[in-house]
Amino acid sequence: MKRLFAHLDFLGIGFFAAGMVFFLSFLLSFEANIHYPSGLLGIIFFVLFVWRELKVKEPFIDVRIFRSQPKLALVYAQFIFL
């Protein structure tokens, strides 16, 4: 079990989760008053996530694959926005 935790990128997971929560909060606020700070925080956390994943030895999500596989990146982008 210790080995598993040693290989997990907890900071990357945290940045990704925070980005998703804030960005989804922003998207869900469109029915009432749009909450722009949530959108901004979501973008900031996603940028931190990408920065982290490019620096770490064993990333939570290897974002380099999106550069080599642009069609895969489009599928993921569509999935996120739906």
Side-chain angles (χ1 to χ4, degrees), residues 21-41:
V21 167
F22 282 111
F23 198 67
L24 286 174
S25 174
F26 166 71
L27 292 176
L28 292 172
S29 74
F30 274 68
E31 287 190 7
N33 295 330
I34 299 175
H35 195 252
Y36 293 106
S38 291
L40 181 62
L41 281 171

Side-chain angles (χ1 to χ4, degrees), residues 26-79:
F26 166 71
L27 292 176
L28 292 172
S29 74
F30 274 68
E31 287 190 7
N33 295 330
I34 299 175
H35 195 252
Y36 293 106
S38 291
L40 181 62
L41 281 171
I43 291 170
I44 289 170
F45 277 112
F46 280 133
V47 169
L48 288 171
F49 167 72
V50 170
W51 173 79
R52 168 73 180 176
E53 298 307 284
L54 290 173
K55 303 276 184 204
V56 73
K57 183 180 175 182
E58 294 182 32
F60 170 57
I61 297 174
D62 189 1
V63 294
R64 290 178 190 91
I65 195 169
F66 299 126
R67 186 179 298 158
S68 63
Q69 301 289 331
K71 290 182 181 178
L72 178 64
L74 288 173
V75 169
Y76 281 130
Q78 289 174 347
F79 178 74

